[in-house]
Amino acid sequence: MSWFKLKNLQVELRIFVKVNAKQTTLIEINDEQGIIVALHAKAKEGEANRELINFLSEWLSFPKSHAVLISGKHSRHKKILVPFNNKVSALIGM
């Protein structure tokens, strides 16, 4: 199973988050869990989800409003739909 799926002009990313870390950072990318991200935010009241969207939008250069949390609102395993752009293309190897 791949950690991304192309959907028209968007890409669905599988992400595993580790919350309450010292800093927000990319840990690794693998086929089993997808993109693994450490988040400084705690998993309460949507803080971690907001921080994840902020991190992805800065890292992959797209407006925060263009990301959609498809699943995993209350889980460490998430699926997020992001716009296909040059940085996302480079990330997925296209």
Side-chain angles (χ1 to χ4, degrees), residues 3-5 7 10-14 70 79-81:
W3 53 273
F4 69 90
K5 288 182 189 173
K7 293 187 171 189
Q10 297 179 312
V11 179
E12 179 185 301
L13 302 174
R14 281 191 317 123
I70 298 171
K79 289 184 181 176
I80 297 183
L81 198 60

Side-chain angles (χ1 to χ4, degrees), residues 31-84:
D31 283 336
E32 188 175 314
Q33 292 179 304
I35 300 172
I36 302 172
V37 178
L39 298 174
H40 180 67
K42 295 180 180 177
K44 67 175 187 177
E45 300 175 10
E47 287 179 29
N49 291 333
R50 283 190 296 276
E51 186 163 333
L52 176 61
I53 297 292
N54 289 339
F55 172 76
L56 291 173
S57 70
E58 289 178 22
W59 178 41
L60 299 173
S61 300
F62 63 83
K64 291 182 275 193
S65 62
H66 291 191
V68 178
L69 180 61
I70 298 171
S71 68
K73 182 177 179 182
H74 300 290
S75 171
R76 292 176 185 255
H77 298 274
K78 302 181 182 298
K79 289 184 181 176
I80 297 183
L81 198 60
V82 300
F84 187 81

